[in-house]
Amino acid sequence: DADVTQTPRNRITKTGKRIMLECSQTKGHDRMYWYRQDPGLGLRLIYYSFDVKDINKGEISDGYSVSRQAQAKFSLSLESAIPNQTALYFCATSDTLVATSTDTQYFGPGTRLTVL
Amino acid sequence: GNSVTQMEGPVTLSEEAFLTINCTYTATGYPSLFWYVQYPGEGLQLLLKATKADDKGSNKGFEATYRKETTSFHLEKGSVQVSDSAVYFCALTLYNQGGKLIFGQGTELSVKP
């Protein structure tokens, strides 16, 4: 079984709808991240969490919210989806609480979201 | 600010050709540098990394050397295979930034038989 899973894998929704993307991990990692990938822009950080009580905004958090329900679960919500949120969304985890810069991040398979 | 710039793709090569994908960075501090690879339909996975100047990261025949003087971390492979077809991302992270990665835009590599 995959260590980092994301559901759904694909989703088509309409403008104004609320949508939640879910991420679960079995790696036992404390840190979790949400990124979005757009063609020609690479990946950009939306939110990150160092533990259940520590959630931080990333580079592009406007229009998104997150919930860290447990160490293993980190959900991303779009309260009112808009077409420019159409993108590929990735969840990632990493495995240390120490503020080192050498962490490896482990990525889920991604969720392709289309907002019509 | 902190940023990563990669050569634009797509890059198309024949099998067994030599590969170079250029990556340069700007950082307010002393970054660690990474190459991640994304195979079709999959998430990203770490290919190699280097944490200090002149370090060479290597994996699966790929290499990259951390060049502080030129702020570069170019990816190379001596002989590519069709199975190397993927999107390659250069990235950096800075000490005390909680492991947050800053990515380049990605370079798509297509290897033809």
Side-chain angles (χ1 to χ4, degrees):
Chain A
D1 288 338
D3 295 320
V4 184
T5 57
Q6 293 183 233
T7 56
R9 294 294 311 276
N10 289 282
R11 180 72 182 267
I12 299 174
T13 191
K14 295 183 178 179
T15 297
K17 294 292 188 182
R18 183 179 189 276
I19 184 165
M20 178 181 287
L21 309 182
E22 298 187 343
C23 176
S24 295
Q25 52 113 347
T26 59
K27 299 186 76 68
H29 291 171
D30 287 304
R31 295 181 180 177
M32 298 186 74
Y33 308 81
W34 274 106
Y35 295 90
R36 65 176 279 176
Q37 182 181 14
D38 298 278
L41 294 178
L43 278 75
R44 293 178 291 167
L45 183 64
I46 305 172
Y47 270 95
Y48 61 104
S49 170
F50 287 171
D51 64 37
V52 174
K53 297 180 181 179
D54 184 2
I55 294 176
N56 305 278
K57 293 182 177 181
E59 179 187 358
I60 52 164
S61 59
D62 287 349
Y64 301 94
S65 62
V66 291
S67 173
R68 185 82 183 265
Q69 300 95 322
Q71 186 203 39
K73 296 185 182 296
F74 192 37
S75 300
L76 177 72
S77 293
L78 288 67
E79 296 300 326
S80 179
I82 56 177
N84 76 0
Q85 292 177 312
T86 294
L88 189 53
Y89 289 84
F90 287 102
C91 174
T93 73
S94 65
D95 64 353
T96 179
L97 285 175
V98 177
T100 174
S101 61
T102 61
D103 301 346
T104 295
Q105 291 192 16
Y106 298 86
F107 285 79
T111 295
R112 185 168 296 280
L113 176 65
T114 303
V115 183
L116 301 176
Chain B
N2 304 308
S3 65
V4 176
T5 302
Q6 295 179 230
M7 65 185 287
E8 290 197 15
V11 174
T12 302
L13 296 174
S14 297
E15 206 165 23
E16 299 184 4
F18 184 86
L19 168 70
T20 300
I21 300 178
N22 290 337
C23 171
T24 57
Y25 67 88
T26 301
T28 55
Y30 201 158
S32 290
L33 301 173
F34 303 80
W35 277 100
Y36 278 81
V37 59
Q38 183 181 28
Y39 297 105
E42 298 183 11
L44 281 72
Q45 55 186 276
L46 179 68
L47 181 59
L48 52 85
K49 65 183 181 184
T51 59
K52 60 182 186 296
D54 300 324
D55 268 3
K56 177 184 285 187
S58 61
N59 186 26
K60 300 181 180 179
F62 291 89
E63 293 183 338
T65 301
Y66 189 144
R67 301 289 188 196
K68 189 169 185 285
E69 64 276 13
T70 56
T71 62
S72 64
F73 193 54
H74 304 321
L75 182 68
E76 296 182 336
K77 187 175 185 182
S79 176
V80 294
Q81 306 300 312
V82 172
S83 58
D84 294 326
S85 297
V87 181
Y88 292 81
F89 292 92
C90 186
L92 67 82
T93 187
L94 289 163
Y95 185 75
N96 280 337
Q97 291 293 307
K100 293 184 291 180
L101 286 166
I102 297 170
F103 286 91
Q105 70 270 38
T107 302
E108 182 180 359
L109 171 66
S110 178
V111 181
K112 305 297 184 186

